[in-house]
Short mmCIF file of all heavy atoms in Angstrom, two decimals:
data_model
loop_
_atom_site.label_atom_id
_atom_site.label_comp_id
_atom_site.label_asym_id
_atom_site.label_seq_id
_atom_site.Cartn_x
_atom_site.Cartn_y
_atom_site.Cartn_z
N ARG S 1 6.10 1.52 -37.57
CA ARG S 1 5.69 2.88 -37.94
C ARG S 1 6.83 3.90 -37.83
O ARG S 1 6.90 4.84 -38.61
CB ARG S 1 4.52 3.35 -37.06
CG ARG S 1 3.24 2.56 -37.25
CD ARG S 1 2.06 3.28 -36.59
NE ARG S 1 2.32 3.62 -35.19
CZ ARG S 1 2.11 2.81 -34.16
NH1 ARG S 1 1.63 1.58 -34.40
NH2 ARG S 1 2.36 3.17 -32.93
N HIS S 2 7.71 3.69 -36.87
CA HIS S 2 8.69 4.74 -36.56
C HIS S 2 10.14 4.32 -36.77
O HIS S 2 11.04 5.16 -36.62
CB HIS S 2 8.51 5.19 -35.11
CG HIS S 2 7.14 5.73 -34.82
ND1 HIS S 2 6.74 7.00 -35.19
CD2 HIS S 2 6.07 5.15 -34.20
CE1 HIS S 2 5.48 7.19 -34.80
NE2 HIS S 2 5.05 6.10 -34.21
N GLY S 3 10.39 3.06 -37.10
CA GLY S 3 11.75 2.61 -37.29
C GLY S 3 12.40 2.19 -35.98
O GLY S 3 11.87 2.43 -34.89
N THR S 4 13.57 1.54 -36.11
CA THR S 4 14.28 1.01 -34.94
C THR S 4 15.49 1.87 -34.64
O THR S 4 16.36 2.05 -35.51
CB THR S 4 14.73 -0.44 -35.20
OG1 THR S 4 13.59 -1.24 -35.47
CG2 THR S 4 15.47 -0.99 -34.00
N PRO S 5 15.61 2.42 -33.44
CA PRO S 5 16.80 3.21 -33.09
C PRO S 5 18.04 2.32 -33.07
O PRO S 5 18.00 1.19 -32.60
CB PRO S 5 16.46 3.76 -31.70
CG PRO S 5 15.45 2.80 -31.14
CD PRO S 5 14.66 2.31 -32.31
N GLU S 6 19.14 2.86 -33.57
CA GLU S 6 20.39 2.11 -33.62
C GLU S 6 21.39 2.59 -32.56
O GLU S 6 22.30 1.85 -32.20
CB GLU S 6 21.02 2.24 -35.01
CG GLU S 6 20.15 1.71 -36.14
CD GLU S 6 19.93 0.21 -36.07
OE1 GLU S 6 20.77 -0.49 -35.45
OE2 GLU S 6 18.91 -0.26 -36.61
N THR S 7 21.23 3.81 -32.10
CA THR S 7 22.11 4.37 -31.07
C THR S 7 21.26 5.14 -30.06
O THR S 7 20.12 5.52 -30.37
CB THR S 7 23.14 5.34 -31.68
OG1 THR S 7 22.45 6.52 -32.12
CG2 THR S 7 23.88 4.70 -32.84
N PRO S 8 21.80 5.40 -28.87
CA PRO S 8 21.04 6.21 -27.91
C PRO S 8 20.65 7.57 -28.48
O PRO S 8 19.57 8.10 -28.16
CB PRO S 8 22.01 6.35 -26.73
CG PRO S 8 22.83 5.10 -26.79
CD PRO S 8 23.02 4.84 -28.25
N ALA S 9 21.49 8.17 -29.32
CA ALA S 9 21.17 9.48 -29.90
C ALA S 9 19.92 9.42 -30.76
O ALA S 9 19.19 10.42 -30.87
CB ALA S 9 22.36 9.99 -30.72
N ASP S 10 19.64 8.27 -31.36
CA ASP S 10 18.45 8.13 -32.20
C ASP S 10 17.16 8.27 -31.40
O ASP S 10 16.10 8.54 -31.97
CB ASP S 10 18.44 6.77 -32.90
CG ASP S 10 19.54 6.63 -33.93
OD1 ASP S 10 20.10 7.66 -34.34
OD2 ASP S 10 19.85 5.47 -34.31
N LEU S 11 17.23 8.07 -30.08
CA LEU S 11 16.01 8.12 -29.27
C LEU S 11 15.39 9.51 -29.26
O LEU S 11 14.20 9.65 -28.95
CB LEU S 11 16.33 7.69 -27.83
CG LEU S 11 16.75 6.23 -27.66
CD1 LEU S 11 17.15 5.96 -26.21
CD2 LEU S 11 15.63 5.29 -28.08
N ALA S 12 16.17 10.54 -29.60
CA ALA S 12 15.63 11.90 -29.65
C ALA S 12 14.51 12.03 -30.67
O ALA S 12 13.69 12.96 -30.59
CB ALA S 12 16.74 12.90 -29.95
N ARG S 13 14.45 11.10 -31.64
CA ARG S 13 13.42 11.15 -32.68
C ARG S 13 12.26 10.20 -32.37
O ARG S 13 11.42 9.97 -33.24
CB ARG S 13 14.06 10.80 -34.03
CG ARG S 13 15.13 11.79 -34.48
CD ARG S 13 15.58 11.52 -35.91
NE ARG S 13 16.26 10.24 -36.04
CZ ARG S 13 17.57 10.07 -35.82
NH1 ARG S 13 18.32 11.10 -35.44
NH2 ARG S 13 18.12 8.90 -35.97
N HIS S 14 12.24 9.66 -31.17
CA HIS S 14 11.19 8.70 -30.81
C HIS S 14 10.38 9.20 -29.63
O HIS S 14 10.72 10.22 -29.00
CB HIS S 14 11.82 7.34 -30.49
CG HIS S 14 12.32 6.62 -31.70
ND1 HIS S 14 11.56 5.71 -32.40
CD2 HIS S 14 13.52 6.70 -32.36
CE1 HIS S 14 12.26 5.24 -33.41
NE2 HIS S 14 13.45 5.81 -33.42
N ASN S 15 9.32 8.47 -29.32
CA ASN S 15 8.46 8.81 -28.18
C ASN S 15 8.65 7.80 -27.06
O ASN S 15 8.62 6.58 -27.30
CB ASN S 15 6.99 8.82 -28.61
CG ASN S 15 6.09 9.28 -27.48
OD1 ASN S 15 6.32 10.31 -26.86
ND2 ASN S 15 5.06 8.49 -27.18
N GLY S 16 8.84 8.29 -25.86
CA GLY S 16 8.98 7.40 -24.71
C GLY S 16 7.70 7.35 -23.89
O GLY S 16 6.93 8.31 -23.86
N VAL S 17 7.47 6.23 -23.24
CA VAL S 17 6.40 6.13 -22.26
C VAL S 17 7.09 5.97 -20.91
O VAL S 17 7.87 5.05 -20.70
CB VAL S 17 5.41 4.98 -22.56
CG1 VAL S 17 4.57 5.32 -23.76
CG2 VAL S 17 6.13 3.67 -22.81
N THR S 18 6.83 6.89 -20.02
CA THR S 18 7.60 6.98 -18.79
C THR S 18 6.71 6.73 -17.57
O THR S 18 5.49 6.65 -17.67
CB THR S 18 8.25 8.37 -18.66
OG1 THR S 18 7.23 9.37 -18.59
CG2 THR S 18 9.15 8.65 -19.85
N PHE S 19 7.35 6.60 -16.44
CA PHE S 19 6.64 6.42 -15.18
C PHE S 19 7.39 7.19 -14.11
O PHE S 19 8.51 7.67 -14.33
CB PHE S 19 6.52 4.94 -14.82
CG PHE S 19 7.81 4.18 -14.83
CD1 PHE S 19 8.57 4.03 -13.68
CD2 PHE S 19 8.30 3.62 -16.01
CE1 PHE S 19 9.77 3.34 -13.70
CE2 PHE S 19 9.50 2.93 -16.04
CZ PHE S 19 10.24 2.79 -14.88
N HIS S 20 6.77 7.30 -12.95
CA HIS S 20 7.35 8.11 -11.88
C HIS S 20 8.12 7.25 -10.90
O HIS S 20 7.72 6.12 -10.59
CB HIS S 20 6.24 8.85 -11.12
CG HIS S 20 5.51 9.83 -11.97
ND1 HIS S 20 4.40 10.51 -11.54
CD2 HIS S 20 5.71 10.24 -13.25
CE1 HIS S 20 3.95 11.30 -12.50
NE2 HIS S 20 4.74 11.16 -13.54
N ILE S 21 9.22 7.78 -10.41
CA ILE S 21 9.98 7.17 -9.31
C ILE S 21 10.12 8.23 -8.23
O ILE S 21 10.63 9.33 -8.48
CB ILE S 21 11.36 6.68 -9.77
CG1 ILE S 21 11.21 5.57 -10.81
CG2 ILE S 21 12.18 6.19 -8.58
CD1 ILE S 21 12.54 5.05 -11.34
N ALA S 22 9.65 7.90 -7.02
CA ALA S 22 9.68 8.84 -5.90
C ALA S 22 9.01 10.16 -6.27
O ALA S 22 9.47 11.25 -5.90
CB ALA S 22 11.11 9.07 -5.43
N GLY S 23 7.92 10.07 -7.04
CA GLY S 23 7.14 11.25 -7.37
C GLY S 23 7.64 12.05 -8.54
O GLY S 23 7.04 13.07 -8.90
N LYS S 24 8.75 11.63 -9.17
CA LYS S 24 9.30 12.36 -10.30
C LYS S 24 9.32 11.49 -11.55
O LYS S 24 9.57 10.28 -11.47
CB LYS S 24 10.73 12.83 -9.98
CG LYS S 24 10.82 13.80 -8.81
CD LYS S 24 12.26 14.23 -8.56
CE LYS S 24 12.35 15.19 -7.38
NZ LYS S 24 13.76 15.60 -7.11
N ALA S 25 9.05 12.13 -12.68
CA ALA S 25 9.05 11.40 -13.95
C ALA S 25 10.45 10.87 -14.24
O ALA S 25 11.43 11.63 -14.19
CB ALA S 25 8.59 12.30 -15.08
N TYR S 26 10.55 9.57 -14.53
CA TYR S 26 11.83 8.97 -14.85
C TYR S 26 12.00 9.06 -16.37
O TYR S 26 11.59 8.16 -17.11
CB TYR S 26 11.86 7.52 -14.37
CG TYR S 26 13.15 6.81 -14.70
CD1 TYR S 26 14.35 7.21 -14.14
CD2 TYR S 26 13.16 5.73 -15.58
CE1 TYR S 26 15.53 6.56 -14.44
CE2 TYR S 26 14.34 5.07 -15.89
CZ TYR S 26 15.51 5.49 -15.32
OH TYR S 26 16.68 4.85 -15.63
N ALA S 27 12.59 10.16 -16.83
CA ALA S 27 12.69 10.42 -18.26
C ALA S 27 14.12 10.66 -18.72
O ALA S 27 14.34 10.97 -19.89
CB ALA S 27 11.83 11.64 -18.63
N THR S 28 15.10 10.52 -17.84
CA THR S 28 16.51 10.57 -18.24
C THR S 28 17.05 9.16 -18.16
O THR S 28 17.20 8.61 -17.07
CB THR S 28 17.31 11.52 -17.33
OG1 THR S 28 16.75 12.84 -17.41
CG2 THR S 28 18.77 11.56 -17.76
N TRP S 29 17.33 8.57 -19.31
CA TRP S 29 17.69 7.17 -19.38
C TRP S 29 19.19 7.03 -19.65
O TRP S 29 19.75 7.75 -20.48
CB TRP S 29 16.90 6.47 -20.48
CG TRP S 29 15.41 6.49 -20.23
CD1 TRP S 29 14.78 6.87 -19.08
CD2 TRP S 29 14.38 6.12 -21.15
NE1 TRP S 29 13.42 6.74 -19.22
CE2 TRP S 29 13.14 6.29 -20.47
CE3 TRP S 29 14.37 5.65 -22.47
CZ2 TRP S 29 11.92 6.01 -21.08
CZ3 TRP S 29 13.15 5.37 -23.08
CH2 TRP S 29 11.94 5.55 -22.38
N ARG S 30 19.84 6.10 -18.95
CA ARG S 30 21.29 5.92 -19.03
C ARG S 30 21.62 4.57 -19.68
O ARG S 30 20.98 3.56 -19.39
CB ARG S 30 21.93 6.00 -17.65
CG ARG S 30 21.74 7.32 -16.95
CD ARG S 30 22.40 7.33 -15.58
NE ARG S 30 23.86 7.33 -15.68
CZ ARG S 30 24.65 6.37 -15.26
NH1 ARG S 30 24.14 5.27 -14.71
NH2 ARG S 30 25.96 6.45 -15.38
N PHE S 31 22.63 4.59 -20.54
CA PHE S 31 23.08 3.37 -21.23
C PHE S 31 24.60 3.31 -21.19
O PHE S 31 25.27 4.34 -21.34
CB PHE S 31 22.59 3.35 -22.68
CG PHE S 31 21.12 3.57 -22.84
CD1 PHE S 31 20.61 4.84 -23.04
CD2 PHE S 31 20.24 2.51 -22.75
CE1 PHE S 31 19.25 5.06 -23.18
CE2 PHE S 31 18.87 2.71 -22.88
CZ PHE S 31 18.38 3.98 -23.09
N GLY S 32 25.15 2.10 -21.02
CA GLY S 32 26.59 1.96 -20.93
C GLY S 32 27.14 1.02 -21.99
O GLY S 32 26.47 0.08 -22.43
N ARG S 33 28.39 1.29 -22.38
CA ARG S 33 29.09 0.40 -23.32
C ARG S 33 30.58 0.60 -23.13
O ARG S 33 31.06 1.73 -23.15
CB ARG S 33 28.69 0.69 -24.77
CG ARG S 33 29.25 -0.32 -25.76
CD ARG S 33 28.69 -0.13 -27.15
NE ARG S 33 29.10 1.14 -27.75
CZ ARG S 33 28.82 1.49 -29.00
NH1 ARG S 33 28.09 0.67 -29.76
NH2 ARG S 33 29.23 2.64 -29.47
N GLU S 34 31.29 -0.51 -22.90
CA GLU S 34 32.74 -0.49 -22.72
C GLU S 34 33.16 0.50 -21.63
O GLU S 34 34.13 1.25 -21.77
CB GLU S 34 33.43 -0.16 -24.05
CG GLU S 34 33.16 -1.21 -25.12
CD GLU S 34 33.80 -0.85 -26.45
OE1 GLU S 34 34.38 0.26 -26.54
OE2 GLU S 34 33.71 -1.66 -27.39
N GLY S 35 32.40 0.51 -20.55
CA GLY S 35 32.75 1.32 -19.40
C GLY S 35 32.33 2.78 -19.47
O GLY S 35 32.53 3.53 -18.51
N GLU S 36 31.75 3.22 -20.58
CA GLU S 36 31.30 4.60 -20.70
C GLU S 36 29.77 4.64 -20.71
O GLU S 36 29.11 3.78 -21.30
CB GLU S 36 31.85 5.23 -21.99
CG GLU S 36 33.37 5.36 -22.00
CD GLU S 36 33.87 6.11 -23.20
OE1 GLU S 36 33.02 6.61 -23.97
OE2 GLU S 36 35.10 6.20 -23.37
N TRP S 37 29.22 5.68 -20.06
CA TRP S 37 27.77 5.81 -19.95
C TRP S 37 27.30 7.11 -20.61
O TRP S 37 27.99 8.13 -20.55
CB TRP S 37 27.35 5.81 -18.48
CG TRP S 37 27.51 4.46 -17.86
CD1 TRP S 37 28.65 3.91 -17.35
CD2 TRP S 37 26.49 3.47 -17.71
NE1 TRP S 37 28.41 2.64 -16.89
CE2 TRP S 37 27.09 2.34 -17.09
CE3 TRP S 37 25.15 3.41 -18.03
CZ2 TRP S 37 26.39 1.19 -16.81
CZ3 TRP S 37 24.42 2.26 -17.74
CH2 TRP S 37 25.05 1.17 -17.15
N VAL S 38 26.16 7.02 -21.27
CA VAL S 38 25.55 8.21 -21.86
C VAL S 38 24.15 8.36 -21.27
O VAL S 38 23.51 7.38 -20.88
CB VAL S 38 25.46 8.11 -23.40
CG1 VAL S 38 26.86 8.01 -24.00
CG2 VAL S 38 24.60 6.92 -23.83
N GLU S 39 23.68 9.62 -21.22
CA GLU S 39 22.34 9.91 -20.74
C GLU S 39 21.51 10.50 -21.86
O GLU S 39 22.01 11.29 -22.66
CB GLU S 39 22.38 10.89 -19.56
CG GLU S 39 22.97 10.31 -18.30
CD GLU S 39 22.81 11.25 -17.11
OE1 GLU S 39 22.41 12.42 -17.32
OE2 GLU S 39 23.09 10.82 -15.98
N VAL S 40 20.24 10.09 -21.90
CA VAL S 40 19.32 10.59 -22.92
C VAL S 40 18.10 11.16 -22.22
O VAL S 40 17.46 10.47 -21.42
CB VAL S 40 18.89 9.46 -23.88
CG1 VAL S 40 17.84 9.99 -24.86
CG2 VAL S 40 20.09 8.90 -24.63
#
């Protein structure tokens, strides 16, 4: 229905289902490639 994201930036156009860690929503997701990390 929504297509497949190809990069972390593409996730801005998608819907996430999240859960709580230590009482806070875990909605900032980190991904790494070649030693560099990005946050979404």
